[in-house]
Amino acid sequence: MSELSAGARARANIALAKYWGKADEALNLPAVPSVSITLDPLVTHTRVRFDASLAGDRFLLDGAPANAKELARVGALLDRVRAEAGLSQRAEVVSTNDFPTAAGLASSASGFCALSAAARAAAGLPFDLAVISAMARRASVSAARSAYGGYVELPLCEPSALAPDAHAAVPLCPPEHWPLRVVVAVTAEGRKKVGSTGGMIHTAATSPFYGAWVESSPELAAQVRAGIVARDLVRVGEAMEASTLAMHACAMAARPTVIYFQPPTLAVLAAVRALREEQGIAVYATADAGPHVKALCHADDAPRVAQTLGATEGVLRTLTAEPGPGVELEAEA
Ligand code: PMV
């Protein structure tokens, strides 16, 4: 084993209070606070090896060389690690997702968090979750939250902060605090057409509702946070749906519009509402920058929710996830 090599695994996370919009594009700071659950079994494994014989950085994702854009984002993170550790070697990064990338689940969060941990460890830097989180945040804001397990918050970075570059997520409650389930209804294969970064920058520049979104988000995040601490699913669920729909409404009002919903998205949202209103099941829906829906419910209700969503028109399959641990270093395979 080479000295300058290390591996890490991190899990995806789903935002209950959504991040959408940047306070600072260069530093990649969020304009709103967000709150999430880190999810098992949606795991990304990443190995990083600094090697003096490499002419450039290499990045293999699920066995295939990544495209130029992905390689550039990875290279930018590696450059920060090299600068901090005083290294000049290029690196080989090998990343695999335990869940299908094409399932439309956010693999950038788990991917950049695992990369941040593995690259730092390979460079001989100490394992520090706050530093790993801040470094992952520079690449993808949601990745900051995957550093911690269970329920996690990425607060707002105050404009007066002394070190905005160190802005990181904070753990709220561990996984065992509240064993909720997230039933993912996968509604399409393949990559989304408008990525989250492009979508939110365009929304901020053109949506007449962007100001209202930024203004109303802290209160929704506070409701989600309080509901998690009190294990109050109604409180969390109502605030999560409000955050989700406000984010999407804001994006839809952009010129030209940014619409992530597809017909099956609306069908699943209606099915979740029917489960709640007609069957009395406490289940609430959210959706990110894509057509899939994630439903939050108690563990006992998850099989029923999965069955109903799986039978909804346009749903390809479902996957049930639960709160899982934060980023961890991995021994050589
Ligand atoms: O971290 P990014 O740039 O991939 O953006 C994530 C945006 C949402 O998934 C829609 C919301 C969130 O908070 O995760």
Side-chain angles (χ1 to χ4, degrees), residues 4 50 78-90 123-125:
L4 295 178
F50 290 100
L78 293 169
D79 283 344
R80 288 195 185 92
V81 171
R82 279 189 281 256
E84 192 178 330
L87 286 179
S88 58
Q89 292 97 313
R90 302 295 103 183
L125 296 168

Side-chain angles (χ1 to χ4, degrees), residues 55-87:
D57 291 324
R58 293 210 306 229
F59 175 31
L60 283 176
L61 180 58
D62 285 329
N67 65 36
K69 212 170 142 194
E70 287 163 339
L71 182 61
R73 281 176 89 185
V74 165
L77 191 154
L78 293 169
D79 283 344
R80 288 195 185 92
V81 171
R82 279 189 281 256
E84 192 178 330
L87 286 179

Side-chain angles (χ1 to χ4, degrees), residues 13-15 17-20 22 34 73 106 108 140-143 145 196-197 200 247 287-289:
N13 71 75
I14 170 84
K18 301 291 176 189
Y19 148 64
W20 195 252
K22 297 179 194 292
S34 56
R73 281 176 89 185
S108 75
S140 161
V141 164
S142 57
R145 302 185 307 238
S196 48
T197 297
M200 69 179 77
M247 175 199 124
D288 292 310

Side-chain angles (χ1 to χ4, degrees), residues 9 95 118 125 132 139 152 188 231 249 278 285:
R9 62 171 165 266
S95 201
L125 296 168
I132 290 168
V152 183
R231 299 189 189 89
E278 290 159 26

Side-chain angles (χ1 to χ4, degrees), residues 244-329:
T244 303
L245 294 171
M247 175 199 124
H248 283 277
C250 185
M252 281 185 209
R255 308 268 306 262
T257 186
V258 177
I259 302 183
Y260 292 107
F261 288 4
Q262 294 288 329
T265 316
L266 290 172
V268 178
L269 292 180
V272 167
R273 217 163 36 241
L275 277 169
R276 203 161 65 223
E277 289 170 3
E278 290 159 26
Q279 317 283 330
I281 295 178
V283 53
Y284 296 86
T286 185
D288 292 310
H292 317 289
V293 179
K294 292 101 177 181
L296 186 68
C297 62
H298 291 298
D300 289 353
D301 293 326
R304 176 81 183 282
V305 170
Q307 190 193 25
T308 302
L309 300 195
T312 301
E313 188 161 357
V315 173
L316 303 175
R317 61 185 172 276
T318 66
L319 186 157
T320 299
E322 60 185 74
V327 67
E328 301 157 306
L329 292 180

Side-chain angles (χ1 to χ4, degrees), residues 131-154:
V131 179
I132 290 168
S133 171
M135 180 161 266
R137 196 244 326 126
R138 278 295 288 261
S140 161
V141 164
S142 57
R145 302 185 307 238
S146 284
Y148 296 99
Y151 298 83
V152 183
E153 175 164 22
L154 181 60

